[in-house]
Amino acid sequence: ALGAAAPYIRALPDDAEVATVGFGGSPTVVRGLAAPSQHLPGALRTLTADLPVDRSATDVAAALHLAIDLLPVSGDRRILLVTDGAETAGDLRDVIPRLRAETIPVTVVPLASSASAGVRVTSLRVPAYARLGSTVAALVVIESDRATTGVLRVTVDGEVVSERAYD
């Protein structure tokens, strides 16, 4: 995960402030707000080596809530989420209203899944902003380790707005 985030962190200006959150079953602040160079893999490896991580679960929603709490109250507020997308605890849908209300964009860097088989969303692209009531385009890439069928449902505020079966 550290290596996957590195290109994004290197692209930040030197005066940017970055925080790093590690997560499994529960999130932990690896390093609070500091210069981007303090969040590159070499600088973080020693911090993460002794970090207790509950590998029995993955709670992406809790990690995002903690990341939002760490953001400064103003300025360029954004989150880089590095994940395999295999959420096994919590519910990501619970944090989306908060991200919307605070207009915080989330860039997702997909990692290879450690699951031996299954279906996963490997990429989701949506506009950072949209006018209320407008229609937006979304690009969803779904991969599976085996032939399967499924249904993709898009919901807005808990209401299904689109549904499509895939073979």
Side-chain angles (χ1 to χ4, degrees), residues 100 154-161:
R100 279 190 191 140
V154 178
T155 62
V156 175
D157 297 326
E159 180 182 331
V160 176
V161 295

Side-chain angles (χ1 to χ4, degrees), residues 150-155 159-166:
V151 176
L152 176 64
R153 285 185 195 89
V154 178
T155 62
E159 180 182 331
V160 176
V161 295
S162 178
E163 183 174 289
R164 182 172 173 189
Y166 289 88

Side-chain angles (χ1 to χ4, degrees), residues 118-119 143-150 166-167:
V119 178
E143 294 180 355
S144 176
D145 296 325
R146 62 192 181 297
T148 188
T149 62
Y166 289 88
D167 296 324

Side-chain angles (χ1 to χ4, degrees), residues 90-104:
D91 190 339
L92 189 55
R93 293 174 293 188
D94 293 342
V95 74
I96 292 172
R98 185 174 178 200
L99 290 164
R100 279 190 191 140
E102 297 187 38
T103 59
I104 300 170

